[in-house]
Amino acid sequence: MASDQIRQMVNFILQEAHEKANEIRVKTEHDFNLEKQTLVHEAKLNVQDEFLRKEKDREIQERITRSAEIGECRVKKMKIRDELLHTLLSEAGAKCAVVARGQNYPQLLQKLIVQGLVKIEENEVIIYCRGEDVKTVEKVIPAAVKEYVDLMEKESGVKLDPKVTLNSVRANDLPESTYGGVMLTAVSGKIVCDNTMASRLNLVYEELLPSIRAILFPDEQ
């Protein structure tokens, strides 16, 4: 009788142990599966985040590259346009040089001297010119001074007696790049009137540059 009771107790304990073990196994498997799902989900999120980060980095790099290419194209375009404008100015300068070899050049020099004297408004003036123009300028100075004096007397009623001389130091003659014309100075070079062909060409060029650009580069408008 006692042995039966003991057997029943042992069986009960074993049954309880099996049930507890099964409960622990089920809970362990559940926790494991839950943890596995969590880890898989986090891994997917990490993969997605990494993909999005790389995609964003790629887009940023593409924008940087595209921006650099656009900037490079603009620089090249501006360089080509500047070269074209420089060529245009050089060709215009070459035409000025042709004018300086024409038969009407002495009259032009005279007018430039008169205009310079009117602008400079000084009694003692030194005129500078290119070496090849020295003889021509020497010839027209008297006529230019007379025209200036007559003009000022007519306008103001005052008869001036300016001292206008040609620069005597040949090393200080104007360079060929001026294309001709004259430069007048006074007060030991403190007052200067640049009436060279290059100076006048540059003035006209700057004034007409917007119109020139509109003609040559209409897509800028």
Side-chain angles (χ1 to χ4, degrees), residues 121-132:
E121 292 184 339
E122 290 293 331
N123 199 47
E124 293 188 6
V125 177
I126 298 177
I127 298 177
Y128 293 81
C129 65
R130 299 182 303 172
E132 63 188 271

Side-chain angles (χ1 to χ4, degrees), residues 87-213:
T87 300
L88 183 65
L89 186 60
S90 297
E91 291 176 353
K95 291 182 179 179
C96 286
V98 172
V99 172
R101 294 192 295 270
Q103 60 180 3
N104 295 325
Y105 186 51
Q107 290 88 339
L108 176 60
L109 284 174
Q110 180 176 326
K111 296 298 181 184
L112 291 175
I113 293 172
V114 173
Q115 186 182 63
L117 291 173
V118 171
K119 286 184 178 180
I120 210 164
E121 292 184 339
E122 290 293 331
N123 199 47
E124 293 188 6
V125 177
I126 298 177
I127 298 177
Y128 293 81
C129 65
R130 299 182 303 172
E132 63 188 271
D133 294 335
V134 169
K135 291 183 179 180
T136 306
V137 173
E138 284 178 336
K139 290 180 180 179
V140 302
I141 284 179
V145 171
K146 183 179 185 307
E147 183 178 344
Y148 166 68
V149 171
D150 292 344
L151 177 63
M152 297 307 290
E153 184 176 10
K154 180 181 178 181
E155 295 293 329
S156 64
V158 178
K159 188 173 182 64
L160 301 176
D161 184 23
K163 181 182 178 183
V164 180
T165 58
L166 179 64
N167 159 55
S168 59
V169 182
R170 296 281 68 84
N172 294 335
D173 286 342
L174 299 180
E176 289 299 318
S177 58
T178 58
Y179 304 124
V182 292
M183 179 182 292
L184 293 79
T185 68
V187 194
S188 300
K190 294 179 181 178
I191 300 176
V192 177
C193 176
D194 189 347
N195 237 3
T196 60
M197 302 286 276
S199 175
R200 297 179 71 85
L201 174 61
N202 285 327
L203 288 175
V204 173
Y205 174 76
E206 292 297 332
E207 182 179 344
L208 296 179
L209 186 56
S211 299
I212 295 172
R213 284 187 175 277

Side-chain angles (χ1 to χ4, degrees), residues 40-117:
V40 170
H41 180 66
E42 291 179 349
K44 287 182 178 179
L45 291 178
N46 289 334
V47 170
Q48 290 177 354
D49 290 343
E50 181 68 14
F51 174 78
L52 291 175
R53 184 186 65 78
K54 290 184 177 180
E55 184 67 15
K56 186 176 181 180
D57 290 343
R58 184 186 64 79
E59 291 176 354
I60 292 174
Q61 188 59 44
E62 284 182 352
R63 286 199 295 268
I64 292 174
T65 302
R66 186 162 56 250
S67 178
E69 290 174 349
I70 292 173
E72 186 178 353
C73 287
R74 285 177 178 171
V75 170
K76 289 181 178 179
K77 190 176 182 180
M78 290 176 62
K79 184 178 180 181
I80 292 173
R81 291 182 174 182
D82 287 343
E83 289 175 352
L84 179 58
L85 291 171
H86 181 71
T87 300
L88 183 65
L89 186 60
S90 297
E91 291 176 353
K95 291 182 179 179
C96 286
V98 172
V99 172
R101 294 192 295 270
Q103 60 180 3
N104 295 325
Y105 186 51
Q107 290 88 339
L108 176 60
L109 284 174
Q110 180 176 326
K111 296 298 181 184
L112 291 175
I113 293 172
V114 173
Q115 186 182 63
L117 291 173

